Amino acid sequence: MEESGKADKPGSLGLAAVIGAVAGLSLATRWGALPMIAAAVVGGLLTTVSEAVARARQRPGQIPALWSRIVMSTAMAAPLAWALAAVTGAGPVVVGLVAGALAGALGLRPQKVVLGPLVGLAIGYGCRLLWGDVPAAIVGAATVLAFRTVSAAIFRDPQVMMLAERVSPADLPFVVPLVARTRYVGTGYVRDLAEVLGGDYQAAAPDVGIVASLDELAGPEFDPATVAPLVREFYEHTTRFTLDIVPRWRLWVRPGYLLYRTVLARPLGQANVPMNQREAQRGVRSRIDTISGTDDGTVSIRGWIRSYVDNDEPIYVGIYTTYRRDGRGYVSVGFPLPQASFTATLAPTARAGGGLVLSSRGDLDQPGHYLTYVDAETKELTAAAVHGFAEQLDVYLEDGELRAEHEFWVFGLPFLVLHYSIHRKAELG
């Protein structure tokens, strides 16, 4: 790992120097060639020194310190602001507003989305009052610097946080490091994965569950013996059941989800949840594809695949795994993406009446959501923890029938509940 980091250091320093030099040029365009050259040299030196110091203090598996990332984002903002003004003729107020809005949007958190434009307006107006003909590059850089500094002081619990850079999969047991090798995931993902990993592939495996045994999840907060037999059967023999879905989206999230589904989910063939009950009534096909070892036949990969009955359009493809850490069992569900994976790691707790709750919320250090890039050659992982996303799956009995509620939150705000009615397949009685 350390050798890999050292090998990348010259490249990162070179990129930092280029970014700083371009920033310096954009800041000094108004004053002629010599000032531009001097500013480029100074800018390149500053960002190179910043990157070198940050990398020298960086531990294996960590990302550069926040202050160095602020330096780089400030430097990157300068030429972008210069280009905006050069193309559109925008003044300092508009440049500040656009720079702040972009910085806030990249912060993802709703509060940051609001804060960004406000900071941009304040910086833009302030610059215009103090220096009427202020260069746009200075406004853009000042806006990003102010926004990043203020948001770091206010929001001390980052909703998206870089977790590790170029580490071994063994260092991140809560991540499912299985990726899509094409731009489309789709319902044939497990079949394609079997060609890469080897093993015996079985489509729509009969009488198999999303977990091999609930006993693998035993821990201080969960005793598998308390789970009702029907709930246990659902988890260990999922293919014996059918599921009817009723999605309940919050109104505020619907426009954003429609955009996400159109731009990302459908082209990816992944995470394409029904928008309403009418879509769900198209019918949902549920199956589990498996990959087993050729020697003992033990199932090593369980892919739960949901798609619409009428055209097999994917709803989601999830790879279900379990693992143990410090005397506790966890469920990790990996959703393959192109050369990446989005993993939900959930902790089990018992529910009154024999139910089972799997949740990413709580004080344990393992549960959560993780977006991970997997290097195609080295298989090393670069992962971000998405603290702003949370979910909870509650499977329980109601009047002897299986029910489930799958709740989702983003930045602490509830946005979706999937209500499930779960029934044993007719042919099983």
Side-chain angles (χ1 to χ4, degrees):
M1 286 304 305
E2 293 183 5
E3 292 180 358
S4 175
K6 290 178 181 178
D8 291 336
K9 190 172 182 179
S12 66
L13 293 181
L15 178 60
V18 171
I19 292 174
V22 173
L25 284 172
S26 64
L27 290 168
T29 54
R30 186 173 298 177
W31 295 290
L34 288 179
M36 288 174 63
I37 293 172
V41 172
V42 172
L45 286 174
L46 287 176
T47 51
T48 301
V49 170
S50 170
E51 182 73 6
V53 172
R55 292 287 177 177
R57 300 177 63 180
Q58 179 184 357
R59 297 178 182 177
Q62 290 185 339
I63 61 172
L66 174 63
W67 62 265
S68 70
R69 303 201 304 273
I70 292 177
V71 169
M72 293 302 294
S73 61
T74 300
M76 294 172 68
L80 294 177
W82 173 85
L84 173 64
V87 172
T88 67
V93 175
V94 173
V95 170
L97 176 63
V98 172
L102 179 59
L106 293 175
L108 297 180
R109 191 195 303 243
Q111 297 92 327
K112 288 188 177 182
V113 173
V114 174
L115 178 64
L118 295 178
V119 171
L121 285 173
I123 295 296
Y125 274 116
C127 287
R128 190 175 70 175
L129 289 174
L130 295 174
W131 183 1
D133 195 23
V134 58
I138 293 178
V139 177
T143 297
V144 171
L145 176 61
F147 170 77
R148 293 293 306 269
T149 303
V150 170
S151 61
I154 296 176
F155 306 112
R156 297 183 177 275
D157 54 335
Q159 300 297 285
V160 178
M161 182 181 70
M162 289 300 297
L163 188 65
E165 184 180 26
R166 298 194 173 185
V167 300
S168 165
D171 295 329
L172 302 178
F174 41 79
V175 167
V176 180
L178 297 176
V179 306
R181 288 164 175 78
T182 66
R183 295 183 179 180
Y184 188 77
V185 181
T187 58
Y189 172 77
V190 179
R191 179 195 63 228
D192 297 338
L193 183 64
E195 295 178 358
V196 176
L197 300 181
D200 294 330
Y201 165 71
Q202 185 167 13
D207 202 23
V208 68
I210 53 177
V211 300
S213 172
L214 286 186
D215 295 337
E216 298 172 357
L217 305 181
E221 284 82 32
F222 177 63
D223 179 2
T226 65
V227 176
L230 194 57
V231 174
R232 175 185 280 267
E233 184 182 3
F234 168 72
Y235 275 97
E236 297 177 352
H237 303 277
T238 311
T239 55
R240 295 178 182 177
F241 298 86
T242 62
L243 292 84
D244 297 322
I245 308 175
V246 178
R248 301 293 186 195
W249 292 87
R250 296 295 179 102
L251 288 176
W252 65 268
V253 81
R254 290 184 180 183
Y257 177 70
L258 286 173
L259 178 63
Y260 153 81
R261 185 171 68 169
T262 302
V263 175
L264 288 176
R266 283 178 169 167
L268 282 175
Q270 176 66 291
N272 179 26
V273 179
M275 187 67 203
N276 49 46
Q277 190 171 2
R278 183 177 61 185
E279 287 189 359
Q281 287 175 344
R282 292 167 56 187
V284 176
R285 177 183 292 117
S286 174
R287 75 175 199 255
I288 296 179
D289 289 2
T290 62
I291 302 175
S292 304
T294 55
D295 295 331
D296 57 6
T298 301
V299 175
S300 57
I301 300 290
R302 302 166 186 266
W304 195 8
I305 300 168
R306 311 285 297 282
S307 61
Y308 290 106
V309 170
D310 54 0
N311 61 0
D312 204 34
E313 179 185 5
I315 296 175
Y316 75 71
V317 178
I319 305 299
Y320 282 71
T321 67
T322 60
Y323 75 98
R324 297 191 62 78
R325 184 87 166 191
D326 299 328
R328 303 174 188 268
Y330 300 93
V331 174
S332 284
V333 187
F335 298 93
L337 301 170
Q339 211 51 53
S341 173
F342 185 74
T343 301
T345 293
L346 312 173
T349 54
R351 186 189 197 275
L356 170 59
V357 176
L358 296 175
S359 179
S360 67
R361 310 178 93 183
D363 298 327
L364 298 175
D365 62 350
Q366 300 289 299
H369 292 82
Y370 307 96
L371 181 61
T372 306
Y373 167 77
V374 182
D375 188 285
E377 295 182 0
T378 66
K379 307 305 179 186
E380 293 174 329
L381 310 183
T382 297
V386 188
H387 298 305
F389 194 87
E391 66 179 290
Q392 179 171 292
L393 174 60
D394 183 3
V395 180
Y396 59 95
L397 290 173
E398 183 178 87
D399 298 328
E401 298 289 335
L402 273 175
R403 298 286 185 268
E405 292 185 354
H406 201 167
E407 301 177 78
F408 298 86
W409 296 262
V410 62
F411 308 116
L413 303 174
F415 71 93
L416 170 65
V417 180
L418 299 175
H419 299 276
Y420 289 94
S421 296
I422 306 172
H423 308 281
R424 193 184 301 276
K425 290 180 178 178
E427 63 267 24
L428 298 176

